[in-house]
Amino acid sequence: ERGKLDFQFDSDKLLLAEELNFIQQALSTLMPQVDGLTLTPLLPAGIEAQLCLPLPDIGTGAFTLTGVTLNSNLGLRVGDGFEIRAGLWLSKPERPFGLAVLFLGGGGWFGIDAAYAPPSKFITRVSIGVSAGAFVALNFGFASGSAGLLFTAGVDFYRDWQTGSGTTAVSVGLLMWGEFSILGIASAGVRLVLRITYENGGMRGEGT
């Protein structure tokens, strides 16, 4: 009407094409993992609360316990109606818990996610995994750290109860890490994750 073309660009609302999703995933892995309670806005409108409660790595004598984290989330998205999301996880595939005697041990993760949108949309995900390898954790009070090598295997079950459809994804992977922290003031770490997933007759590989 005014004879002008105008638009607004907001990087926080940018959605990348499927072929470029790896950029978003790579950036998320570079961001520090936030412990405690975080609030995240959801598009087009809504909010999600996430609670992350990690236990400190424990290394006493011949026993080592590492990677134990309780994660929970609750979200509400408003669009064409509303959708409620909830989830509860004991550790995650990218950071499984582990219990070792001397330096050899195993562990895993377990989690469940659910999404409900009235009147009948109901989607669930259950993830179970195990891991085995070698790792060690040290805690001197003022300084702590851990390092290890784990082989992982997991199964994810997806189910859409409205349509009765579902998929099962099987994955195997390799996880290597090393990290330390001094008085919670200075910290550094490196983490390598390689994973192969078989789903719907196809196989894909991921590495971060």
Side-chain angles (χ1 to χ4, degrees), residues 29 93-96 109 130-132 148-154 170-177 190-198 203-208:
T29 59
E94 57 272 13
R95 187 182 176 86
W109 69 87
V130 295
S131 62
L149 168 66
L150 287 177
F151 295 94
T152 64
V170 180
S171 64
V172 294
L174 174 66
L175 169 63
M176 299 175 60
W177 82 94
V190 61
R191 184 173 294 267
L192 171 67
V193 181
L194 302 175
R195 184 180 297 115
I196 297 176
T197 303
Y198 178 82
M203 186 176 295
R204 72 177 185 273
E206 299 172 297
T208 57

Side-chain angles (χ1 to χ4, degrees), residues 104-178:
L104 296 177
W109 69 87
F110 174 79
I112 181 170
D113 288 320
Y116 172 69
S120 57
K121 179 183 177 182
F122 184 48
I123 300 175
T124 58
R125 174 198 177 192
V126 177
S127 179
I128 304 172
V130 295
S131 62
F135 52 92
V136 62
L138 300 174
N139 192 337
F140 300 106
F142 66 92
S144 62
S146 65
L149 168 66
L150 287 177
F151 295 94
T152 64
V155 182
D156 280 30
F157 302 96
Y158 301 88
R159 176 79 173 179
D160 187 333
W161 296 89
Q162 181 181 15
T163 63
S165 62
T167 61
T168 300
V170 180
S171 64
V172 294
L174 174 66
L175 169 63
M176 299 175 60
W177 82 94

